[in-house]
Amino acid sequence: MSDLPLPADVVARTNAPLEAGIRADYDALAGTLDRRGLAIERVTEAVGAFGVAIPSWGVGTGGTRFARFPGPGEPRNVFDKLDDCAVVQALTGATPTVSLHFPWDETGDMSELAGKGRALGLGFDAVNSNTFQDHPGNPAHPLSYRYGSLSHADPAVRRQAIEHNLHCIELGRKLGSRALTIWIGDGSNFPGQTSFVRSFERYIDSVRAVHDGTPADWRLFLEHKIHEPAFYSTVIQDWGSSLLAAQSVGERVACLVDLGHHAPNVNIEMIVARLIHARRLAGFHFNDSKYGDDDLDTGAIDPFRLFLVFNELVDAAHRGAPGFDPAYMLDQSHNVTDPIESLMTSAIEVTRAYAQALLVDRPALEGFQEANDVMMANQTLKQAFQTDVGPILAMARLRKGAAIAPVQAYRASGYRATVAEIRPAATGGSGGIV
């Protein structure tokens, strides 16, 4: 924390009045779990080893399609973004890596950026390409993506988008990343505007070209989204299209699951199970939603669904499912909250769902399933979900030198006020994310 405008004693100072209470709560929970045949230390160790990546764009204020209302101390550049990400990690101990987005986060000296990450104790997760908007003035993007990118009818536009993805890989290699996430906004707004068949085939051919230029130790993550910005059809609109594309391209191509990118009432945990079965689960972008792709804070609306997703993940790890190696990242738009507070809260909620899933009595659950004991199978899940694992999360943070109560410690640090004095006030404007 010495490289951050964060008081060196803020964690110790805010932990001091809370530590005795959390140790007492932890001991009480240990007794409860022991009676259920569960060792609390094994769960705490697993939680302590768990991490979820922060998206660089997540530390700025997001926006709707109509407006963006920036808050104080907005990051001016990718170096400011890393500072903010490091604060989240320092206080939660659960976000050791950052996911960058190019060309937003590209700098003239990527080694300087890599050094900044090392100085802050941060690694770099999957990098992300951006062909869903135009980049005026960028010589690498002279052609417009208005009518698509990797699936565009014009081969010149497709080639430009392919080259951009390959360039993102080169940038990621300099940072130590090992994966590229591809999300495109390609689609149509009117019936007849484009061929469903040809646009999908062009997308697959383009991804194959990216794949062929990818290092052997890299993975490609394909992200789907049901709608927006195209409101009639989307080229990669669901997990089925994503899976078909991945299987058509190669073994190192897998499907990313964003919790907000699904139709209402879709069974996301079942999608997770299917992708695990197909050995094509790339990982997750965690958020929550109510009406559409709202990108609300993770667990803000449906924490039980988040738990059910993790139940499938823990089950896959328990079974030793072949090819199971998911990546985890937050992906949210913070419109009315301090982004750092939202990211900390979301990281805690992801970790909470993981801890709860670790408490599921799997032999008992399997027995009830095989016996068609519907109520007891459901109650087995509910017992784990309804267990207050807060003491486990707090103890894991305490042992890692992080804050027992991250949001309170953050507010006590005065970090936002400090950076607001350093960083010029950002102006509002059109919608979108930073």
Side-chain angles (χ1 to χ4, degrees):
M1 292 191 294
S2 60
D3 291 330
L4 295 172
L6 195 65
D9 68 336
V10 67
V11 170
R13 175 162 42 90
T14 56
N15 279 357
L18 304 175
E19 185 171 345
I22 205 63
R23 290 189 182 280
D25 291 344
Y26 185 81
D27 290 342
L29 179 58
T32 299
L33 295 182
D34 183 66
R35 289 190 294 274
R36 287 160 51 180
L38 297 168
I40 193 171
E41 283 297 320
R42 294 181 62 181
V43 178
T44 307
E45 289 175 7
V47 167
F50 182 84
V52 57
I54 298 178
S56 62
W57 60 95
V59 293
T61 303
T64 68
R65 288 190 295 124
F66 306 103
R68 176 174 174 268
F69 304 96
E74 290 277 308
R76 299 161 295 182
N77 50 48
V78 66
F79 296 97
D80 285 352
K81 293 176 184 178
L82 289 185
D83 282 338
D84 289 358
C85 290
V87 170
V88 179
Q89 167 62 3
L91 297 180
T92 67
T95 58
T97 56
V98 179
S99 184
L100 299 186
H101 211 296
F102 302 124
W104 291 342
D105 296 324
E106 185 172 355
T107 68
D109 186 355
M110 295 302 292
S111 62
E112 180 185 7
L113 188 59
K116 173 75 170 182
R118 287 192 298 270
L120 294 171
L122 296 172
F124 293 94
D125 205 79
V127 294
N128 302 261
S129 60
N130 182 339
T131 61
F132 53 81
Q133 66 179 173
D134 287 345
H135 307 287
N138 189 322
H141 300 264
L143 304 176
S144 175
Y145 297 121
R146 181 176 186 178
Y147 297 112
S149 58
L150 293 177
S151 74
H152 201 288
D154 185 345
V157 177
R158 296 200 301 275
R159 171 49 54 184
Q160 175 179 286
I162 291 169
E163 291 297 330
H164 171 60
N165 278 277
L166 294 174
H167 180 60
C168 290
I169 292 170
E170 288 305 309
L171 296 176
R173 291 180 70 181
K174 297 177 181 179
L175 299 170
S177 178
R178 289 291 182 270
L180 169 70
T181 297
I182 301 175
W183 176 75
I184 59 171
D186 296 26
S188 64
N189 285 284
F190 288 89
Q193 177 180 334
T194 189
S195 164
F196 294 154
V197 173
R198 289 194 294 274
S199 61
F200 187 58
E201 290 174 344
R202 289 193 294 262
Y203 171 83
I204 291 174
D205 289 341
S206 296
V207 173
R208 185 176 292 116
V210 175
H211 174 271
D212 291 346
T214 303
D217 60 345
W218 270 60
R219 302 166 68 196
L220 295 184
F221 298 164
L222 306 185
E223 182 176 0
H224 67 269
K225 187 174 183 179
I226 188 172
H227 67 83
E228 196 185 28
F231 289 104
Y232 171 64
S233 71
T234 304
V235 174
I236 304 296
Q237 88 287 2
D238 61 18
W239 72 279
S241 294
S242 179
L243 179 58
L244 286 173
Q247 291 174 327
S248 297
V249 175
E251 291 296 326
R252 292 183 290 112
V253 186
C255 307
L256 192 70
V257 177
D258 185 305
L259 297 191
H261 289 187
H262 306 271
N265 304 318
V266 165
N267 191 325
I268 299 177
E269 54 269 30
M270 180 177 279
I271 293 172
V272 172
R274 294 292 183 264
L275 291 176
I276 291 172
H277 168 78
R279 304 186 186 184
R280 295 287 180 161
L281 178 65
F284 293 86
H285 281 182
F286 290 114
N287 50 58
D288 214 331
S289 64
K290 182 65 174 177
Y291 300 110
D293 181 17
D294 290 329
D295 285 345
L296 302 175
D297 289 5
T298 307
I301 302 296
D302 196 348
F304 187 54
R305 182 176 67 182
L306 183 62
F307 160 77
L308 292 175
V309 166
F310 268 98
N311 178 59
E312 296 300 326
L313 298 174
V314 170
D315 177 70
H318 177 75
R319 292 184 289 106
F324 180 72
D325 184 24
Y328 301 117
M329 191 190 83
L330 301 174
D331 186 12
Q332 305 169 174
S333 181
H334 311 112
N335 303 326
V336 294
T337 60
D338 183 319
I340 291 178
E341 293 186 358
S342 278
L343 288 167
M344 289 193 297
T345 301
S346 294
I348 292 170
E349 291 308 305
V350 169
T351 311
R352 185 188 309 279
Y354 175 52
Q356 290 167 328
L358 289 171
L359 300 183
V360 173
D361 186 338
R362 304 220 165 262
L365 177 62
E366 183 176 350
F368 292 136
Q369 291 171 338
E370 293 299 315
N372 294 313
D373 193 332
V374 178
M375 182 56 68
M376 290 308 299
N378 179 256
Q379 288 298 307
T380 300
L381 290 182
K382 283 293 185 71
Q383 181 184 47
F385 173 69
Q386 292 169 351
T387 302
D388 180 8
V389 296
I392 293 176
L393 309 186
M395 183 60 73
R397 290 194 295 271
L398 179 63
R399 291 177 179 176
K400 296 172 75 172
I404 292 175
V407 173
Q408 291 89 321
Y410 170 70
R411 293 193 172 190
S413 75
Y415 178 82
R416 181 59 65 189
T418 299
V419 295
E421 294 180 357
I422 300 171
R423 305 171 184 174
T427 58
S430 60
I433 56 180
V434 300

